[in-house]
C-alpha cells in the first residue's frame, strides 16, 4: 500500500503502541486513586503533559488533554464566547476552517451569535489585514486555523494576535493548529493565541486524544465537562492514560531530528510538484507552504473517480476532507475556481516515511487515469 494521506491520519509507530499497551495492561491505575499504582499514574500523566507542553512551548498547567481536535475546537469557541459574553456575540473566522470550527460556529449562530466568514484569495491565502478588518468592538472571538488541512496554506496567526492587541485587546484568539503542530512553527508563546488546539493522530499518535492550550488571559475558563475535577477542574473524566501515553511518545519520536523530518517532507513535496506537473491537465491548487500538504487538480477528471481508481491500485489519496457526492468541499468552493478545476481537486499529504518511489507510483497512476478515463463534459 502507498499511503499519501497523512493529513487525514498517520500510522502509529510500534514504540507508541508499546507505550500504550504497557499502560493498558500493567500500569492501568486510575490517576485519582490513592494507592501506589494510582499515584504513579498521576505522576506519569504530569510527565506526559510536560512532554506535549514542551513541544507546544507552553506551561504544562495550561495544557488540557481532550478527546480529539474537534473537542478542543468546540471547547475553545464556547469558552471564548463565555468569557466575553459582556463584550458581544460576534465571531470572526474563515470560510476555510475545518468543520470542527465551521460547524461549531454555525451552531453558535443558531444560538444568536453573529459570525463573519472571511473568504480566502484564489490561491488560498488570507492576510492578517483582511481578518482584522472584520473585527468590531463587539467581536468576542477570532478563530483562524494555523494550517489549512486541504490546501496546506499557513495563516498569519501571530500577526493577527498582534493586530488584535492594538485594535481590540479583549477579543480572544483561537487557532486550530491540528495540521500545524510539529509541521510549522507552532509555539503557543510565539503565536500569541489564547487557545491552541492540537490532535495526536496527525503526528503518529493514537486517535481519540488531543489537547487545548488555554492562556492565562482566559481568567476563569468555562469548564467543558464539570465533574470529578480532572484537567484542573475544566475537563472532568478519568484521564485516558493509554492515549495520553501514546500522545507523549509520538511527540517524543516526532521531535527527534524534527528539522530533518520537515526538510524531508518539504523535499518530497517539491519532488511531487515536479513529477505531477509533467502530467497533462494537472495544475497546482493554492500556494500552501506547509511541508506536508499538496493540493492539485486534474482539470476535468472528477476527484472521487480518481480517488477510487487509485484506491483499487493500493494508493491512498484524498479528494478533500468533505467532498460529498461530486460537490467540491467548502474549502475548494471558497476558492471560486472554474467548475472543471474545482471538480478535479485531490490532496496528497506526506509524512516522514514517504519516499520518492511512493510519489513515482502515484504520478504514474494519475497519468494512467488521465490517459484512460473519460473527463467530465
Ligand atoms: N482541525 C483540522 C485542521 C483537522 O485537519 C482535523 C482533522 O482532520 C481536525 C481539526 C479534527 O481533529 P480530530 O480528528 O482529532 O477531531
Amino acid at each position: 500500500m502507498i499511503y499519501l494521506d497523512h493529513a487525514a491520519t498517520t500510522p502509529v509507530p510500534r514504540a507508541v503502541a508499546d507505550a500504550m499497551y504497557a499502560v493498558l495492561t500493567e500500569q492501568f491505575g486510575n490517576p485519582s486513586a490513592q494507592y501506589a499504582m494510582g499515584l504513579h499514574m498521576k505522576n506519569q500523566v504530569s510527565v506526559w503533559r510536560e512532554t506535549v507542553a514542551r513541544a507546544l512551548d507552553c506551561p504544562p498547567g495550561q495544557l488540557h488533554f481532550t478527546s480529539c481536535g474537534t473537542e478542543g475546537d468546540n471547547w475553545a469557541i464556547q469558552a471564548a464566547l463565555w468569557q466575553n459574553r459582556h463584550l458581544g456575540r460576534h465571531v470572526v473566522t474563515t470560510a476555510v476552517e475545518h468543520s470542527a470550527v465551521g460547524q461549531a460556529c454555525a451552531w453558535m449562530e443558531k444560538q444568536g451569535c453573529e459570525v463573519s466568514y472571511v473568504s480566502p484569495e484564489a490561491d488560498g491565502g488570507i492576510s492578517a489585514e483582511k481578518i482584522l478588518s472584520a473585527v468590531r468592538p463587539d467581536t468576542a472571538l477570532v478563530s483562524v486555523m494555523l494550517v489549512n488541512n486541504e490546501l496546506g496554506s499557513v495563516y498569519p496567526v501571530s500577526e493577527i494576535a498582534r493586530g488584535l492587541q492594538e485594535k481590540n485587546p479583549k477579543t480572544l484568539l483561537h487557532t486550530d493548529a491540528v495540521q500545524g503542530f510539529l509541521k510549522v512553527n507552532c509555539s503557543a508563546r510565539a503565536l500569541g493565541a489564547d487557545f491552541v488546539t492540537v490532535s495526536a493522530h496527525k503526528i503518529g499518535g493514537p486517535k481519540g486524544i488531543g489537547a487545548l492550550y488555554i492562556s492565562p488571559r482566559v481568567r476563569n475558563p468555562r469548564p467543558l465537562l464539570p465533574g470529578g475535577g480532572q484537567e484542573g477542574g475544566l475537563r472532568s473524566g478519568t484521564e485516558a492514560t493509554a492515549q495520553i501515553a501514546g500522545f507523549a511518545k509520538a511527540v517524543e519520536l516526532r521531535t527527534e531530528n524534527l528539522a530533518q523530518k520537515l526538510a524531508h517532507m518539504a523535499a518530497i513535496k517539491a519532488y511531487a510538484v515536479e513529477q505531477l506537473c509533467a502530467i497533462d491537465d494537472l495544475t497546482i491548487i493554492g500556494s500552501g507552504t506547509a511541508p506536508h500538504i499538496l493540493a492539485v487538480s486534474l482539470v476535468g477528471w472528477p476527484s472521487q473517480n480518481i480517488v477510487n481508481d487509485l484506491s483499487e491500485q493500493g494508493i491512498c489519496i484524498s479528494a478533500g476532507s468533505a467532498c460529498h457526492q461530486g460537490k467540491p468541499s467548502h474549502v475548494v468552493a471558497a476558492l471560486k475556481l472554474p467548475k472543471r478545476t474545482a471538480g478535479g481537486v485531490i490532496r496528497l499529504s506526506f509524512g516522514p516515511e514517504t519516499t520518492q518511489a511512493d510519489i513515482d507510483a502515484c504520478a504514474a497512476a494519475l497519468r494512467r487515469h488521465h490517459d484512460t478515463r473519460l473527463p467530465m463534459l
Side-chain angles (χ1 to χ4, degrees):
M1 186 192 58
I2 291 171
Y3 188 72
L4 295 172
D5 203 16
H6 289 255
T9 197
T10 53
V12 167
R14 183 64 196 232
V16 171
D18 285 347
M20 296 177 70
Y21 185 76
V23 173
L24 287 167
T25 55
E26 292 154 26
Q27 309 166 32
F28 56 86
N30 186 324
S32 299
Q34 294 306 304
Y35 40 82
M37 186 164 65
L39 297 172
H40 173 67
M41 244 323 103
K42 186 173 179 187
N43 187 48
Q44 284 297 100
V45 169
S46 349
V47 171
W48 295 326
R49 192 186 308 280
E50 276 165 25
T51 301
V52 179
R54 205 174 309 120
L56 197 58
D57 192 18
C58 71
Q62 284 159 247
L63 186 91
H64 307 282
F65 288 116
T66 60
S67 73
C68 57
T70 301
E71 182 179 308
D73 285 344
N74 275 269
W75 184 9
I77 290 165
Q78 286 171 27
L81 286 168
W82 172 256
Q83 158 128 343
N84 273 341
R85 61 196 179 283
H86 304 302
L87 185 70
R89 307 199 75 195
H90 178 237
V91 177
V92 174
T93 187
T94 77
V96 293
E97 295 297 310
H98 186 274
S99 44
V101 167
Q103 289 303 310
C105 285
W107 177 245
M108 287 303 169
E109 277 183 291
K110 284 189 188 145
Q111 297 187 45
C113 291
E114 191 189 337
V115 182
S116 302
Y117 297 92
V118 177
S119 298
E121 305 303 323
D123 68 355
I126 303 178
S127 67
E129 293 79 48
K130 203 166 176 191
I131 296 288
L132 292 165
S133 67
V135 171
R136 315 187 307 215
D138 64 337
T139 304
L141 165 69
V142 171
S143 181
V144 174
M145 69 203 314
L146 183 57
V147 171
N148 184 276
N149 49 302
E150 293 191 39
L151 306 169
S153 313
V154 182
Y155 295 132
V157 173
S158 52
E159 213 181 318
I160 295 169
R162 284 195 297 275
L164 279 178
Q165 278 312 304
E166 280 175 27
K167 184 164 179 178
N168 209 10
K170 283 199 169 146
T171 300
L172 292 168
L173 175 63
H174 165 240
T175 187
D176 172 342
V178 168
Q179 294 290 348
F181 186 46
L182 301 181
K183 308 284 175 30
V184 299
N185 188 355
C186 187
S187 148
R189 199 170 35 87
L191 288 173
D194 299 296
F195 301 90
V196 181
T197 308
V198 296
S199 177
H201 74 104
K202 311 293 187 182
I203 57 141
K207 295 166 190 58
I209 182 78
L212 179 68
Y213 159 77
I214 305 182
S215 87
R217 263 174 31 106
V218 187
R219 268 190 220 97
N220 275 315
R222 179 188 167 143
L224 180 71
L225 299 174
Q230 293 90 346
E231 298 302 313
L234 297 178
R235 200 266 177 201
S236 295
T238 301
E239 294 86 344
T241 47
Q243 311 299 108
I244 297 172
F247 191 178
K249 191 68 184 176
V251 165
E252 218 178 284
L253 294 180
R254 193 52 79 97
T255 46
E256 252 171 46
N257 301 321
L258 179 63
Q260 235 168 296
K261 287 177 181 136
L262 294 178
H264 171 76
M265 287 187 241
I268 285 287
K269 178 168 164 173
Y271 181 73
V273 168
E274 201 183 292
Q275 299 305 306
L276 298 185
C277 281
I279 300 171
D280 286 343
D281 297 311
L282 192 138
T283 183
I284 305 294
I285 300 297
S287 57
T289 54
H292 65 306
I293 297 178
L294 174 63
V296 301
S297 171
L298 193 55
V299 178
W301 278 261
S303 57
Q304 195 54 53
N305 294 353
I306 304 173
V307 170
N308 296 346
D309 183 20
L310 267 61
S311 167
E312 281 166 21
Q313 300 169 58
I315 302 172
C316 305
I317 59 163
S318 157
S321 75
C323 183
H324 296 302
Q325 292 151 5
K327 267 172 65 190
S329 74
H330 68 283
V331 175
V332 172
L335 302 181
K336 301 194 167 62
L337 300 167
K339 194 170 164 222
R340 284 163 56 84
T341 307
V345 175
I346 53 173
R347 176 188 72 184
L348 276 57
S349 50
F350 319 113
E353 310 88 352
T354 310
T355 63
Q356 285 195 352
D358 294 337
I359 303 300
D360 291 340
C362 180
L366 284 172
R367 183 172 284 113
R368 247 187 336 266
H369 187 90
H370 173 274
D371 294 347
T372 57
R373 302 297 176 102
L374 286 176
M376 61 183 161
L377 294 174

